[in-house]
Amino acid sequence: MSDIFDAMCAQRACRAFTDEPVADADLARMLDAAVHAPSAENKQPWEFVVVRDTDARAAIGALIARAWNTVGREFSKDRLSAGLLADVERGATGGIADAPVHIVVGADTERGLPMTAAESIFPAVQNLMLAAAALGLGSALTTIAVGYAYELSEIVEFPAHVRPMAVIPVGHPARPLGPPRREPFATRTSRDRYGARWD
Amino acid sequence: MSDIFDAMCAQRACRAFTDEPVADADLARMLDAAVHAPSAENKQPWEFVVVRDTDARAAIGALIARAWNTVGREFSKDRLSAGLLADVERGATGGIADAPVHIVVGADTERGLPMTAAESIFPAVQNLMLAAAALGLGSALTTIAVGYAYELSEIVEFPAHVRPMAVIPVGHPARPLGPPRREPFATRTSRDRYGARWD
């Protein structure tokens, strides 16, 4: 699926994967896409760690499960629909851990400014995930493990100046992903001033 | 240019625009792309204000110039190459103001959590800009005006619970945009642990 609008409209969080491996060639295309994203001052502060190692993925999965079980579930249970809550729970307690690849994304706070880390990292993460979708792979933007920044950094050996920003599981979707559920853009778009709706 | 990899590799910050107007149909495609991005808890907290009004664009342009003249230039002069500094300066002091459309992007902090605003907004902003690139339009991710959040909110009438996150100028590029200058992904990618480089 190489049409950009098709890929953007088909992208959906994937939290259940088969154990089929992901080829280095596909990861290379995703990472090449990622580093073409804009960043503040063009400092390109991203650092990607592609984790295939079984123990490291298990440790990341355990961190996500711990964050979910101690804080996430309680926090989310009244905020999400029953269907989404169940999907997130399955992901956080095993689905994400099962992905054959975890890409841990960090922001180098010496190369770029800490203040502009988010605007410099998440466009690259979006390119990465769009490329995955175009290649028929599943992925999801997860940040729950970032709450345990020290432990996550320890697993992938980030030095102190690299701040973990996200964990992106990548793999072949266990089930076909339906289209994403979104409100139409016109309900979130105004003309000239907030509230003067597009339509 | 509808191939997703082509569009991602061609995207480059545009800070000089012609006065040719941008069609509503193109903006609609860009905004539709934006709202298909992922967001934390799928809360879709984005708010877009499409500014065509001459006075409002002038006010946004003045805010950007003020931020540049009071803080930005001094801050950036030793951090950017001479070429990039000159391009950013021309953009901040008139180029961006000249764009026929400014899209002011906000995060609704009642719909989504303030804590996850950045990871919920910047992927959508990236979709918006990729769609612009695919349609042959120029855009740039600017956040300098966000430093004057109160003044920016006043121009587009954001209520207190909508936090301004970015201003995206959109228009037809005044000059062809060359390819973006990026370090190869392999220099920013490790295997299993930071420092064990991809290659």
Side-chain angles (χ1 to χ4, degrees):
Chain A
M1 186 200 309
S2 67
D3 179 81
I4 187 169
F5 293 99
D6 289 347
M8 291 194 289
C9 289
Q11 185 195 2
R12 187 167 179 183
C14 180
R15 302 185 186 91
F17 301 89
T18 71
D19 53 9
E20 187 183 343
V22 177
D24 256 16
D26 284 347
L27 292 169
R29 291 197 76 185
M30 291 164 53
L31 291 158
D32 184 52
V35 302
H36 280 83
S39 59
E41 304 181 307
N42 194 26
K43 293 293 185 188
Q44 309 164 52
W46 36 70
E47 285 291 340
F48 302 98
V49 181
V50 175
V51 181
R52 293 186 190 271
D53 179 76
T54 307
D55 291 346
R57 281 188 295 115
I60 293 168
L63 209 55
I64 290 171
R66 186 173 138 203
W68 178 255
N69 288 325
T70 54
V71 182
R73 183 191 297 111
E74 185 59 26
F75 186 79
S76 295
K77 68 180 171 46
D78 299 325
R79 297 181 49 84
L80 305 185
S81 68
L84 181 54
L85 185 69
D87 194 49
V88 169
E89 167 132 317
R90 279 190 299 268
T93 57
I96 291 169
D98 285 346
V101 173
H102 294 165
I103 301 181
V104 181
V105 186
D108 186 319
T109 59
E110 291 178 353
R111 206 154 65 226
L113 297 166
M115 191 177 72
T116 55
E119 69 197 65
S120 299
I121 294 298
F122 291 115
V125 166
Q126 176 63 356
N127 272 15
L128 185 92
M129 297 192 299
L130 285 172
L135 296 167
L137 294 165
S139 71
L141 172 45
T142 84
T143 57
I144 189 169
V146 169
Y148 294 102
Y150 178 82
E151 292 85 342
L152 182 56
S153 289
E154 205 167 38
I155 296 168
V156 296
E157 299 182 13
F158 274 156
H161 67 279
V162 178
R163 181 200 295 177
M165 299 290 288
V167 174
I168 316 296
V170 179
H172 294 267
R175 293 175 291 279
L177 301 166
R181 284 167 294 194
R182 300 289 188 271
E183 294 297 317
F185 80 86
T187 66
R188 304 289 162 87
T189 302
S190 306
R191 290 188 189 268
D192 289 324
R193 50 195 57 81
Y194 176 86
R197 290 292 150 179
W198 176 269
D199 286 334
Chain B
M1 187 199 309
S2 67
D3 179 81
I4 187 168
F5 294 99
D6 289 348
M8 290 194 287
C9 289
Q11 185 195 1
R12 187 166 179 184
C14 179
R15 302 185 187 89
F17 302 88
T18 72
D19 53 10
E20 187 183 343
V22 177
D24 256 18
D26 283 347
L27 292 169
R29 292 196 76 185
M30 291 165 53
L31 292 158
D32 185 51
V35 303
H36 280 83
S39 58
E41 303 180 307
N42 194 24
K43 293 293 185 189
Q44 308 164 53
W46 38 69
E47 285 291 339
F48 303 98
V49 181
V50 176
V51 180
R52 293 189 190 270
D53 179 75
T54 308
D55 291 345
R57 282 187 297 115
I60 293 168
L63 209 55
I64 290 172
R66 185 173 138 202
W68 178 255
N69 289 325
T70 53
V71 182
R73 183 190 299 110
E74 184 60 27
F75 186 80
S76 295
K77 68 181 171 44
D78 299 324
R79 297 181 49 85
L80 304 185
S81 68
L84 181 54
L85 185 70
D87 194 48
V88 169
E89 168 132 316
R90 279 191 298 268
T93 56
I96 291 168
D98 285 345
V101 173
H102 294 166
I103 301 181
V104 181
V105 187
D108 186 320
T109 60
E110 290 178 353
R111 206 153 66 227
L113 297 167
M115 191 177 71
T116 55
E119 70 197 65
S120 300
I121 294 297
F122 292 115
V125 166
Q126 175 64 355
N127 272 14
L128 185 91
M129 296 191 300
L130 285 172
L135 295 167
L137 294 165
S139 70
L141 172 45
T142 83
T143 57
I144 188 169
V146 170
Y148 293 102
Y150 178 82
E151 291 85 342
L152 182 57
S153 289
E154 205 167 38
I155 296 168
V156 296
E157 298 184 14
F158 275 156
H161 67 281
V162 177
R163 182 200 295 177
M165 300 290 289
V167 174
I168 316 296
V170 179
H172 295 266
R175 294 175 291 278
L177 301 167
R181 284 167 293 195
R182 299 288 187 271
E183 295 297 317
F185 80 86
T187 66
R188 305 290 162 86
T189 302
S190 307
R191 290 188 189 269
D192 289 327
R193 50 195 58 81
Y194 178 84
R197 290 291 152 177
W198 177 268
D199 284 336

